[in-house]
Amino acid sequence: HLLLFLLFVGPFNCFASYSRATELFYSLNEGLPAGVLIGSLARDLRLPTAGGQRPAVSQPPLSFTLASRGLGGQYVRLDNRSGELHTSALEIDREALCVESSGAAVFGGAAAVSSSSPSSESCLLLLDVLVLPQEYFRLVKVKIAIRDVNDNAPRFPVPHIHLSVPENAPVNTRLAIEHPALDPDVGTNGVQTYRLQDNYGVFTLDVEENESGERTPYLIVMGALDRETREEYVTVIVAEDGGTPPLVGSATLTIGISDINDNCPQFSDSQLNITLYGNSSLGTHVATVHAVDMDLGSNAQITYSYSQKVPQPSRDLFHLDESTGTITLSSKVDGDTPRLHRLIILGNGPGCIPAVITVLVTIIKVTMRPPEVVPRFIANEVEGVVYLKELEPINTPIAFFTIKDPDEKYKVNCFLDGDGPFRLSPYKPYNNEYLLETTKPLDYETQQLYEISVVAWNSEGFHVNKIIKVQVLDDNDNSPVFLQQLIELSIEENNVPNAFLTKLHAVDADSGERGQVSYFLGPDAPSYFSLDKTTGVLTVSTQLDREEKEKYRYTVKAVDSGFPPRESIATVTITVLDKNDNSPRFINKDFSFFVPENFPGFGEIGVISVTDADAGQNGWVALSVLNGSDIFVIDTGKGVLRAKVSLDREQQSSYVLWIEAVDGGDPALSSTAKITILLLDINDNPPLVLFPQSNMSYLLVLPSTLPGSPITEVYAVDKDTGMNAVIAYSIIGRRGPRPESFRIDPKTGNITLEESLMQNDYGLYRLLVKVSDHGYPEPLHSTIMVNLFVNDTVSNESYIESLLRREPDISIEEKQPQISIEPTHKKMESASCMPTLVALSIISLGSIALVTGMGIYICLRKGKKHHRPDENLEVQIPLNGRINLHMLEKKPMEISNI
């Protein structure tokens, strides 16, 4: 129908509708619950409403309708009558709804705008609302700006960030961190600052903001770096936004120090003295020079060469391996060969001044042939180097040596020269055969290379040295060792996710892959702890709660890369430190106490139990009364609630208190509980007679009153409650011509006439009525005198009042309460009939005496009727006793006829 109506009126009102188009701007925070008022279209458009602005002529009511149910319509609810916009049940998430861009972008009714009102970072919901009826018709463009709240923490795109810094980087060098933290929030709620948990004294962070508002962290070098001293720094980078409170995110930052060529080769010695026999064969090893460069890779490559000062004949006689620095005899020594050669050798590194070492080679002229040493290796040997495993057993054979005298006329002795666990002994039963073997196990971690010489001497003093190098091969015989077997850590609860705990470090004395250590969590470690396999950085991925668990204890393993791998175990204990993050908690939200009234002052009403899950001072709780502190007080330590004064239920039957519990934290947290105190009634109020109002009042009773007619009533109330306020009425004293003519209803207090009144029954009747409650354990009562004047008229009121002022003598007709006896289940024993006969005889005699007394009484009344003076209207009835009415009202009596 709305569509047909618009089609009908549209062509005639196109211009008018366009001219009455309106824009309204509203703003609200994201994440609000359903039902929050956004704005009132009728009020903001100043349209007449049903409240009094409508014209006097009856017109259709205003109607507000969304023109389309796009994306914006899902987040709002429009009241068709009042025009009020409220949030719907679908919660608005600004980050999911809008995508920030340099221009406006509309997504099904939502827009991210950078240049239009109300701000440069607005996220808008766009709505089109139609206002009807026709006389108020207009199209309203509603723009709702969604304000950002800080509901997202910064998050790094990768958990581990690696950055390389050259070791020669000067102070104040700036290096951009390529993976800055991302925060979907905008403005000050976005990422604002970065910091390092540990800057090692040589790093800091700075933040640069570009034209588009993106913030990039920069690592700044604040001190000198040296890769040879430390090649890696591991820390945690923390990003923090500007919300209140701020939210943070973190990632592991590994700063690697890259090598530069800042070290040159160096020889350990400046000169070597070598002796060479003239009859040495070609290829004889003369010496090996070795230089060391502390750099890495290509920066540490060393080549060896002769100095230009070395003459060409020496170069031709001795060959120098440019890679290994080994000098060998390359041509035969003859009689013309110089006996002394000075070999200046250069250790060349890239971009460095060469290191220099001098090798003095002295050639000894041989007139006879020296002894010969012929080795036959048993162990693995490559180019004069024997390789032995460190786990080889004692007496492991290395080589056989055959000692020969070329002239076969000299005696040759052989011995071993050099340090090390080696032994050279004759091999029986052969002559000139020697066996080289080990004397104890080799340990790579103690010494890796041994250089020994097998020396052969003949009887003429000539000797030959056979140099042997023994290289000890490493084996995986050492397990990784933690610096501490028990690693004790602590962290405050509510930590940031991925918080850094410590960096584990284990040392393995083995070399190569055997000494490379990897770190693993033990099977007893909770899943939210993480241990970097390579760096040993221990982190916790979630927030810890001390109240949930205060101590963590689990194992970590350090495993090397040998085969089979060896491992060691350490224990990590983490103590979660308390923060004041728990408010005091009452055992119940509402406490109810029932207290009898007139409870003595400062008596214990009840105990308020409250706990605080925090520890130490944060868990200390103080209690106080927020209201009613002038009447009630609470023991802040024990929680005992007391009343300062005695409480009266009739003045106030209940009390509602609010108790506040405040802990000892900084800042302190608090909570409140509702306390209801109900006063139990005790029988402390006697019935209060409201009618008759006085003992001196009276009522005229006509003689023609029929029996059973109500005469008057006694009405009383009791301030107590329950059985303490249940009232019973009874007549305890009578006086009058025929006082038994009146009775009172024990429940209602209504007084009725029992018998017809005769002429001789005229006169003043005085009925003493007792009004008693049913209180326990002691019922209370009041009394009232009911005065009835039986006559046709009241001709002399003053005379009646004078009679009322006289103190009446009334006998008290007390009746013992009827006690109901519960039937007993015990079998009664048979008794004699004698007591029964005696009781029956007494009852019979009593009945005869009663009948006789009544007859005498009637006769006396008839006799006195003719002699009574006319002026005396008061009936003279003998009383059993006298009673003081004033004292009777003050002193309660134990009576009950109910």
Side-chain angles (χ1 to χ4, degrees):
H1 295 85
L2 175 64
L3 179 61
L4 293 175
F5 175 78
L6 293 177
L7 291 175
F8 179 77
V9 303
F12 303 96
N13 298 281
C14 181
F15 180 77
S17 299
Y18 177 77
S19 63
R20 296 169 69 181
T22 308
E23 281 192 356
L24 291 178
F25 285 94
Y26 298 106
S27 64
L28 76 159
N29 291 340
E30 63 173 323
L32 293 178
V36 176
L37 178 64
I38 301 173
S40 174
L41 273 64
R43 182 187 65 234
D44 298 336
L45 294 173
R46 298 183 179 179
L47 296 176
T49 61
Q53 298 183 9
R54 300 294 303 272
V57 180
S58 176
Q59 294 184 0
L62 287 175
S63 174
F64 300 86
T65 308
L66 289 175
S68 63
R69 302 290 294 183
L71 179 62
Q74 300 177 14
Y75 295 98
V76 298
R77 180 172 52 83
L78 175 62
D79 191 304
N80 295 336
R81 293 300 181 188
S82 65
E84 289 185 347
L85 274 174
H86 295 83
T87 56
S88 68
L90 183 60
E91 184 178 290
I92 299 177
D93 184 0
R94 185 185 187 281
E95 290 72 37
L97 184 65
C98 297
V99 178
E100 299 299 329
S101 60
S102 58
V106 179
F107 300 96
V113 183
S114 62
S115 58
S116 62
S117 62
S119 69
S120 63
E121 294 182 342
S122 293
C123 173
L124 299 180
L125 282 178
L126 307 180
L127 304 174
D128 290 340
V129 180
L130 296 176
V131 183
L132 296 174
Q134 177 62 24
E135 57 267 26
Y136 299 107
F137 173 75
R138 67 183 65 191
L139 175 62
V140 182
K141 296 285 187 178
V142 179
K143 295 182 180 181
I144 303 174
I146 309 302
R147 292 192 296 265
D148 183 50
V149 298
N150 192 27
D151 56 347
N152 291 278
R155 182 177 179 273
F156 286 91
V158 293
H160 295 86
I161 302 174
H162 296 273
L163 190 64
S164 180
V165 181
E167 62 177 326
N168 65 338
V171 176
N172 294 327
T173 297
R174 301 170 65 88
L175 299 168
I177 297 177
E178 297 180 355
H179 301 285
L182 305 176
D183 193 328
D185 296 323
V186 297
T188 58
N189 293 332
V191 178
Q192 299 295 316
T193 61
Y194 291 85
R195 68 175 185 272
L196 296 176
Q197 278 194 357
D198 188 356
N199 56 20
Y200 296 98
V202 292
F203 298 107
T204 188
L205 287 180
D206 190 17
V207 180
E208 290 188 3
E209 184 175 354
N210 58 19
E211 296 179 354
S212 62
E214 297 178 352
R215 295 174 180 265
T216 302
Y218 280 80
L219 181 72
I220 302 177
V221 179
M222 302 298 294
L225 303 176
D226 186 5
R227 188 206 62 80
E228 289 73 33
T229 303
R230 183 164 188 167
E231 62 182 3
E232 185 180 74
Y233 296 86
V234 179
T235 184
V236 175
I237 181 172
V238 180
E240 182 175 308
D241 62 22
T244 304
L247 302 178
V248 298
S250 62
T252 301
L253 176 62
T254 301
I255 306 170
I257 309 303
S258 59
D259 183 56
I260 64 168
N261 190 27
D262 58 345
N263 291 278
C264 291
Q266 291 183 350
F267 289 105
S268 58
D269 299 316
S270 60
Q271 181 173 314
L272 292 178
N273 296 318
I274 304 297
T275 300
L276 181 67
Y277 290 101
N279 60 350
S280 298
S281 58
L282 296 178
T284 299
H285 177 270
V286 177
T288 298
V289 294
H290 181 69
V292 177
D293 193 323
M294 298 299 294
D295 293 324
L296 291 177
S298 60
N299 294 331
Q301 290 183 354
I302 302 175
T303 59
Y304 302 94
S305 62
Y306 284 124
S307 170
Q308 294 181 357
K309 297 179 180 181
V310 178
Q312 190 61 41
S314 297
R315 293 171 181 260
D316 296 338
L317 182 62
F318 301 102
H319 174 262
L320 174 62
D321 190 305
E322 65 176 7
S323 298
T324 63
T326 301
I327 303 173
T328 56
L329 187 63
S330 60
S331 61
K332 192 171 182 59
V333 178
D334 55 22
D336 296 331
T337 301
R339 294 295 178 257
L340 182 62
H341 296 268
R342 186 181 185 86
L343 305 179
I344 301 175
I345 300 174
L346 305 178
N348 304 294
C352 289
I353 298 175
V356 180
I357 187 172
T358 302
V359 179
L360 293 178
V361 181
T362 301
I363 300 177
I364 300 176
K365 184 178 181 181
V366 179
T367 57
M368 63 179 64
R369 290 183 294 176
E372 295 180 359
V373 179
V374 180
R376 289 172 293 167
F377 291 97
I378 302 172
N380 185 26
E381 180 267 340
V382 177
E383 295 182 356
V385 180
V386 177
Y387 296 92
L388 290 178
K389 292 184 177 180
E390 62 175 328
L391 297 182
E392 293 290 349
I394 301 175
N395 300 326
T396 297
I398 299 174
F400 280 112
F401 291 91
T402 302
I403 308 301
K404 296 181 180 180
D405 181 14
D407 298 328
E408 297 183 355
K409 60 180 180 180
Y410 299 103
K411 182 180 179 181
V412 179
N413 294 319
C414 186
F415 63 91
L416 189 64
D417 185 22
D419 297 328
F422 305 103
R423 176 176 60 218
L424 184 65
S425 59
Y427 190 73
K428 303 296 183 179
Y430 304 104
N431 295 325
N432 299 329
E433 294 288 343
Y434 293 86
L435 176 64
L436 179 64
E437 58 186 355
T438 60
T439 59
K440 61 181 182 180
L442 303 177
D443 187 3
Y444 175 86
E445 288 72 36
T446 303
Q447 188 170 345
Q448 296 85 34
L449 181 64
Y450 296 90
E451 186 171 321
I452 56 178
S453 297
V454 177
V455 182
W457 286 80
N458 62 15
S459 56
E460 294 298 322
F462 290 98
H463 66 276
V464 173
N465 291 342
K466 183 63 176 179
I467 298 175
I468 300 173
K469 293 183 179 180
V470 179
Q471 176 68 54
V472 182
L473 300 179
D474 186 29
D475 207 339
N476 194 29
D477 59 339
N478 291 278
S479 299
V481 177
F482 282 101
L483 300 181
Q484 294 175 312
Q485 289 299 312
L486 179 61
I487 304 167
E488 297 178 326
L489 307 172
S490 63
I491 185 174
E492 278 194 343
E493 63 176 332
N494 304 330
N495 55 282
V496 297
N498 299 317
F500 174 83
L501 293 175
T502 189
K503 181 178 181 181
L504 304 179
H505 184 62
V507 178
D508 194 317
D510 294 323
S511 63
E513 293 184 354
R514 303 174 187 84
Q516 293 181 359
V517 180
S518 299
Y519 302 91
F520 302 94
L521 290 173
D524 54 345
S527 59
Y528 38 83
F529 288 96
S530 300
L531 180 58
D532 190 281
K533 176 181 178 181
T534 304
T535 63
V537 173
L538 181 63
T539 58
V540 56
S541 61
T542 186
Q543 283 190 346
L544 300 181
D545 187 358
R546 189 204 65 84
E547 288 72 37
E548 180 179 342
K549 190 170 184 180
E550 184 175 6
K551 289 187 177 294
Y552 294 86
R553 185 183 181 94
Y554 53 87
T555 56
V556 291
K557 294 192 300 184
V559 183
D560 63 22
S561 301
F563 183 80
R566 300 175 70 98
E567 65 180 38
S568 63
I569 296 177
T571 301
V572 175
T573 62
I574 300 174
T575 301
V576 183
L577 304 179
D578 184 56
K579 293 180 69 175
N580 191 30
D581 58 343
N582 289 276
S583 301
R585 183 177 181 181
F586 289 92
I587 299 301
N588 299 315
K589 293 183 179 179
D590 295 330
F591 291 84
S592 296
F593 297 107
F594 295 87
V595 181
E597 63 174 330
N598 302 331
F599 194 68
F602 292 98
E604 181 178 325
I605 295 176
V607 178
I608 312 300
S609 298
V610 63
T611 60
D612 194 312
D614 292 321
Q617 185 174 351
N618 294 333
W620 181 85
V621 179
L623 297 174
S624 61
V625 181
L626 295 181
N627 62 324
S629 59
D630 54 337
I631 302 178
F632 297 93
V633 66
I634 190 167
D635 187 335
T636 188
K638 298 180 180 179
V640 177
L641 181 64
R642 307 177 189 272
K644 298 179 182 179
V645 297
S646 180
L647 304 178
D648 186 0
R649 190 203 64 81
E650 285 70 38
Q651 292 184 2
Q652 186 169 343
S653 61
S654 65
Y655 296 87
V656 176
L657 305 179
W658 290 95
I659 303 297
E660 182 182 38
V662 182
D663 63 22
D666 185 18
L669 301 178
S670 64
S671 61
T672 58
K674 180 181 178 183
I675 312 297
T676 303
I677 302 173
L678 301 174
L679 298 183
L680 302 177
D681 183 53
I682 64 173
N683 195 26
D684 58 346
N685 292 279
L688 176 64
V689 178
L690 300 180
F691 184 83
Q693 298 180 355
S694 170
N695 288 330
M696 302 300 292
S697 62
Y698 66 94
L699 179 68
L700 176 66
V701 179
L702 299 177
S704 60
T705 303
L706 298 177
S709 300
I711 303 301
T712 185
E713 69 171 341
V714 177
Y715 179 69
V717 295
D718 197 314
K719 293 183 180 180
D720 295 322
T721 60
M723 293 302 295
N724 295 333
V726 176
I727 299 175
Y729 303 88
S730 62
I731 299 176
I732 63 172
R734 305 168 184 263
R735 184 169 183 180
R738 191 152 54 95
E740 64 275 5
S741 300
F742 300 94
R743 70 177 294 273
I744 190 168
D745 189 299
K747 293 184 179 179
T748 63
N750 292 332
I751 298 176
T752 58
L753 180 65
E754 288 291 298
E755 303 174 358
S756 298
L757 298 173
M758 303 297 181
Q759 186 175 2
N760 56 354
D761 294 334
Y762 285 33
L764 180 64
Y765 291 79
R766 308 197 75 177
L767 306 177
L768 181 61
V769 178
K770 177 182 177 181
V771 184
S772 176
D773 62 23
H774 283 62
Y776 178 83
E778 185 75 20
L780 303 178
H781 71 271
S782 301
T783 59
I784 189 67
M785 186 69 74
V786 178
N787 302 301
L788 303 175
F789 184 62
V790 178
N791 202 358
D792 293 325
T793 60
V794 179
S795 58
N796 191 350
E797 292 185 4
S798 60
Y799 173 70
I800 297 175
E801 292 175 357
S802 65
L803 294 179
L804 294 176
R805 282 193 293 270
R806 297 179 184 178
E807 191 71 27
D809 294 333
I810 299 178
S811 61
I812 304 300
E813 300 175 0
E814 289 288 353
K815 293 183 180 181
Q816 295 296 328
Q818 298 179 359
I819 303 175
S820 61
I821 302 176
E822 295 293 335
T824 178
H825 297 286
K826 297 182 180 180
K827 182 178 182 182
M828 298 182 63
E829 299 180 356
S830 62
S832 175
C833 296
M834 185 58 69
T836 305
L837 294 176
V838 173
L840 292 175
S841 300
I842 294 174
I843 294 174
S844 299
L845 292 175
S847 300
I848 294 172
L850 179 62
V851 172
T852 303
M854 291 180 63
I856 296 172
Y857 174 73
I858 293 173
C859 293
L860 290 175
R861 288 190 61 188
K862 290 182 178 180
K864 290 181 180 180
K865 180 176 69 174
H866 304 288
H867 305 287
R868 181 176 58 188
D870 294 338
E871 70 275 10
N872 186 9
L873 298 179
E874 183 175 357
V875 181
Q876 301 295 328
I877 302 176
L879 300 178
N880 296 333
R882 300 180 63 85
I883 183 170
N884 188 331
L885 294 179
H886 301 287
M887 295 298 295
L888 188 62
E889 292 179 357
K890 297 178 180 178
K891 182 178 180 181
M893 302 181 65
E894 294 184 3
I895 60 174
S896 175
N897 58 358
I898 303 301

